[in-house]
Amino acid sequence: MIMNAINSVFIRFYLSLIAATLFFLPRVYAAEGDPRLVHLVTRFYQPSGDEIKLIDGKSRTAFEARAKRTDQFLQALSKIDRSSLGTPDRIDYDYFYAQLDNSMQKLRDIKIWQKRPSDYIPFNDFFAASLDQVVPWEERYTAMISALTSDLHDFKYGKENLVGPPPLWIERAVTLADNTLSFLDTEMLDIIVRAPNEILAGKMQKAADAYRHQLQEFRTFLVEDLKPGKIGELAVGKQEYERLLRNHFLNYSVDELVTIGTKLYKETEQLMQHTAAEIDSNKTWQQLIEENRMDHVAPWNLYTDLAREAARAKVLVYEEIVSVPDGVIEEYRYVRRAHPETIPRGASGIGPFGFTHNDRYVGYYSLPSIDQYNTWPQKSEFLQDWSRAWYIAQQIPHEVYPGHHFAIFMTGKNQRPARQLVGSAPYTDVSSTMSEGWAVYAEELMYNHGYLNDEPRLFLGHLQHRLWRIARIILDPQFHTGLIDYEYMVDFFEGTGTSRGQAHVEATQITNIPAHDVGYYMGVVEIKALKEEYRDILGPNQFDSKEFNTTLLLKGNVPVALIRPEMLEHARSLAGNN
């Protein structure tokens, strides 16, 4: 059973983030280490029944209780003598401290839960339960009904908690509400019709109607009653931003990040200009990027082509890029059920949602369908979003192989609690340099291993995806320290070759998750630097890129700068054995 065995809304909400790694993988790398640290980490991420009653849900009381409990764990952690720990345990100690401090910052200092209306439109529990095709329909319906019923509380808490979110975030929440209502009026009908019996169909209809009613009321509250604040107030300020950077183990000042980003941006743009000249000397790279958008398959062939390309990527990853240990196997599926968040941004999709079945991990990636759009211009834009340059150069390498889906599968083989449970409590995920950095690094890996078939237009698309990730390094620190405004970010992102609408999406994300987006390409920078150090220790004759990739993933989902000592110790041990 998926969700219905979990009674806590809080635990269910985060289950989709950790299901891929927590309960099913063989203990290839067992939860060894200092027992005090292991106990503390496990206790924090696996609260008792009494604790769940206090911290469950999204009420103000629950958020305050979580902050108090997190502070208690910080104090308990400080009583462990860090200097007495070996390298792996010191890494776990520092990582756990960062997880706790980041959570405290978001809960008590920034109080992000007072500003994000979209957080109070719950749908992930229901949506995740609807996806897993291996589970019998009856179990899935029970889980979906439970999710819809339990999530009703969030609308009430949103009305009580929200204080002056900017108009931008209110508009985003209204759009999400409209998309969710559209889902309820279309795809939900199909779900109800497919119910295994009339009793479940009736319960689903009743739960959906109650959810729709509460959601419509919440939408009215957002539009008519909630007083907006100012977008500039979303800038967290230099002190808080530097604290966020420290907890992400991004050891740079704001000026250093902007300098690095600017240099990388100029280098990438020059490479794009050179590549464009090789394709057609009479056209700019911007013109060629627009032409790339017109290179797409027919809508009825999209899912078949995606599945074929993902299968081709998997073979390449297994043969040339990573050595997969024996044990649990993984598989990956695209599904034709669009998450409400995918509707305004066609090319993103939502996923992967991971589920476990005895000896295998199954990942699902939900995709919007052309049938969601009513007019031919909208349908055409959808197809352009899903151009070959998008899904071959970016979507498959980043999201599937060897990106997020595959990385979750591999990093889950490290069972050390501080590395395994991160992200399963509010605001504790501080590993964007590894989780997102690896996914962007994966795009370059696939290019280097010939996945783009030496097609210069696909390479140009790959470079454009690199360019707007690098733009984040320039813009994120400047916005959050008050140096630039929102419109400046939109204009800058549009200059990377994205549409105006996509530029708004990118700028909005920066306002939404400070310091996170810097990790995408800075993660690549740090992985490449670590790889060179690793190579220097082993020497060119002994260094094996496949061994490096495998070892890095098996160390767990740990920030690159933090895992560096353990990786280099491993390299020295390999060098000493030869």
Side-chain angles (χ1 to χ4, degrees):
M1 300 175 72
I2 308 170
M3 303 288 183
N4 51 314
I6 309 296
N7 295 320
S8 165
V9 174
F10 168 70
I11 291 178
R12 284 190 299 103
F13 183 79
Y14 292 97
L15 185 56
S16 64
L17 298 177
I18 61 172
T21 56
L22 180 54
F23 301 115
F24 77 101
L25 290 171
R27 294 181 178 271
V28 176
Y29 295 85
E32 302 169 347
D34 188 287
R36 297 168 299 168
L37 185 58
V38 170
H39 174 74
L40 201 60
V41 173
T42 305
R43 280 278 298 110
F44 177 76
Y45 281 113
Q46 298 177 351
S48 67
D50 289 340
E51 287 174 319
I52 289 174
K53 291 177 182 178
L54 294 174
I55 65 176
D56 186 25
K58 297 180 181 177
S59 67
R60 177 183 294 267
T61 301
F63 281 122
E64 291 172 348
R66 287 175 202 159
K68 181 179 179 180
R69 181 174 181 267
T70 302
D71 190 37
Q72 292 170 345
F73 274 83
L74 275 170
Q75 295 178 36
L77 181 62
S78 68
K79 295 178 181 178
I80 297 176
D81 181 8
R82 180 185 178 281
S83 65
S84 67
L85 303 175
T87 299
D89 283 324
R90 283 200 304 272
I91 290 171
D92 289 358
Y93 182 102
D94 292 343
Y95 196 21
F96 186 46
Y97 181 91
Q99 294 165 33
L100 294 174
D101 190 61
N102 195 71
S103 184
M104 281 294 295
Q105 185 179 17
K106 299 290 182 65
L107 287 167
R108 183 173 288 177
D109 300 326
I110 298 176
K111 294 184 178 179
I112 196 69
W113 49 274
Q114 292 184 338
K115 299 295 183 182
R116 292 203 302 225
S118 295
D119 289 356
Y120 297 95
I121 302 179
F123 205 66
N124 274 345
D125 290 345
F126 171 88
F127 190 79
S130 75
L131 289 182
D132 196 7
Q133 300 168 355
V134 180
V135 174
W137 265 111
E138 186 165 352
E139 292 187 21
R140 292 160 69 183
Y141 273 79
T142 303
M144 287 187 282
I145 292 166
S146 174
L148 286 178
T149 303
S150 300
D151 286 343
L152 293 179
H153 299 292
D154 287 1
F155 298 119
K156 171 178 176 289
Y157 296 141
K159 295 176 183 178
E160 295 173 352
N161 292 346
L162 291 169
V163 179
L168 180 72
W169 286 10
I170 296 175
E171 292 167 10
R172 185 179 186 181
V174 171
T175 299
L176 179 58
D178 289 340
N179 293 342
T180 306
L181 289 168
S182 176
F183 184 101
L184 294 173
D185 291 336
T186 53
E187 295 198 46
M188 180 63 81
L189 299 179
D190 177 65
I191 291 172
I192 292 172
V193 167
R194 296 178 63 186
N197 56 62
E198 292 185 2
I199 294 176
L200 282 176
K203 289 182 178 179
M204 179 68 78
Q205 184 69 66
K206 182 178 179 181
D209 289 345
Y211 185 96
R212 179 188 289 104
H213 175 72
Q214 292 293 330
L215 177 56
Q216 287 172 330
E217 286 197 347
F218 188 66
R219 185 191 186 284
T220 300
F221 163 77
L222 294 176
V223 174
E224 298 181 3
D225 301 325
L226 184 58
K227 295 181 179 180
K230 297 179 180 179
I231 194 167
E233 296 171 353
L234 296 176
V236 298
K238 189 173 187 294
Q239 181 177 348
E240 294 295 346
Y241 190 79
E242 289 180 343
R243 180 180 172 190
L244 287 165
L245 289 177
R246 287 195 301 272
N247 285 334
H248 281 76
F249 298 91
L250 285 163
N251 302 312
Y252 307 90
S253 69
V254 169
D255 289 342
E256 287 172 333
L257 283 175
V258 175
T259 299
I260 292 170
T262 301
K263 180 176 181 292
L264 290 169
Y265 192 94
K266 290 179 179 177
E267 292 173 350
T268 302
E269 193 168 32
Q270 288 173 356
L271 185 54
M272 292 178 72
Q273 291 167 351
H274 177 74
T275 304
E278 289 185 335
I279 298 170
D280 188 335
S281 60
N282 295 317
K283 294 179 179 178
T284 65
W285 67 260
Q286 291 90 342
Q287 290 172 316
L288 293 173
I289 288 295
E290 284 303 308
E291 290 182 7
N292 271 355
R293 288 172 56 82
M294 302 306 295
D295 179 17
H296 54 75
V297 299
W300 50 86
N301 290 331
L302 176 59
Y303 292 89
T304 302
D305 205 55
L306 280 167
R308 181 176 64 249
E309 290 295 341
R312 183 168 70 91
K314 180 174 182 175
V315 171
L316 184 61
V317 168
Y318 274 66
E319 289 183 351
E320 298 185 22
I321 295 176
V322 175
S323 298
V324 180
D326 294 334
V328 172
I329 61 174
E330 55 78 23
E331 61 181 88
Y332 190 83
R333 304 178 185 181
Y334 288 102
V335 292
R336 298 171 183 256
R337 172 160 294 149
H339 189 287
E341 289 185 6
T342 68
I343 296 175
R345 184 185 175 188
S348 63
I350 291 290
F353 289 89
F355 299 89
T356 64
H357 301 285
N358 298 322
D359 63 345
R360 60 178 167 153
Y361 163 55
V362 184
Y364 295 89
Y365 201 94
S366 67
L367 298 173
S369 166
I370 194 171
D371 296 331
Q372 292 173 236
Y373 303 97
N374 298 319
T375 68
W376 281 113
Q378 289 174 326
K379 292 176 187 290
S380 176
E381 184 177 354
F382 164 76
L383 290 174
Q384 291 174 38
D385 282 341
W386 283 94
S387 67
R388 292 178 66 249
W390 169 263
Y391 64 77
I392 295 177
Q394 199 272 345
Q395 199 276 335
I396 291 172
H398 187 98
E399 301 290 353
V400 191
Y401 296 108
H404 289 312
H405 160 75
F406 183 76
I408 289 171
F409 166 72
M410 286 291 292
T411 58
K413 292 179 179 291
N414 188 309
Q415 293 289 315
R416 297 180 73 94
R419 307 180 189 191
Q420 189 55 263
L421 303 180
V422 62
S424 58
Y427 318 125
T428 56
D429 190 354
V430 292
S431 187
S432 64
T433 60
M434 182 59 193
S435 58
E436 297 296 351
W438 169 268
V440 180
Y441 174 69
E443 299 169 29
E444 297 197 13
L445 275 178
M446 295 300 275
Y447 163 69
N448 291 333
H449 284 268
Y451 183 64
L452 304 189
N453 297 321
D454 293 325
E455 294 185 47
R457 285 182 177 269
L458 292 183
F459 180 59
L460 184 64
H462 163 76
L463 291 174
Q464 194 244 343
H465 304 322
R466 181 192 300 181
L467 192 68
W468 53 263
R469 267 62 163 275
I470 292 171
R472 295 168 171 176
I473 302 173
I474 301 170
L475 301 176
D476 191 288
Q478 291 191 94
F479 174 80
H480 283 289
T481 53
L483 298 175
I484 59 174
D485 61 17
Y486 176 81
E487 289 303 323
Y488 180 91
M489 291 197 295
V490 173
D491 292 340
F492 198 104
F493 276 121
E494 192 173 17
T496 67
T498 66
S499 66
R500 187 72 177 177
Q502 183 60 37
H504 276 284
V505 171
E506 288 295 327
T508 301
Q509 179 156 307
I510 282 179
T511 71
N512 195 33
I513 321 176
H516 173 82
D517 282 10
V518 172
Y520 280 70
Y521 205 80
M522 286 307 300
V524 176
V525 171
E526 297 206 337
I527 290 173
K528 286 181 174 180
L530 175 60
K531 189 174 184 177
E532 288 306 308
E533 289 186 273
Y534 201 88
R535 187 198 308 269
D536 288 343
I537 292 171
L538 290 169
N541 294 329
Q542 189 180 350
F543 175 78
D544 184 334
S545 179
K546 189 175 185 180
E547 188 277 329
F548 170 82
N549 296 333
T550 304
T551 301
L552 180 62
L553 287 175
L554 291 177
K555 292 297 182 183
N557 186 32
V558 182
V560 180
L562 184 58
I563 202 63
R564 176 179 171 272
E566 193 171 329
M567 286 290 293
L568 297 184
E569 277 191 11
H570 179 74
R572 283 189 283 269
S573 70
L574 291 178
N577 292 332
N578 290 279

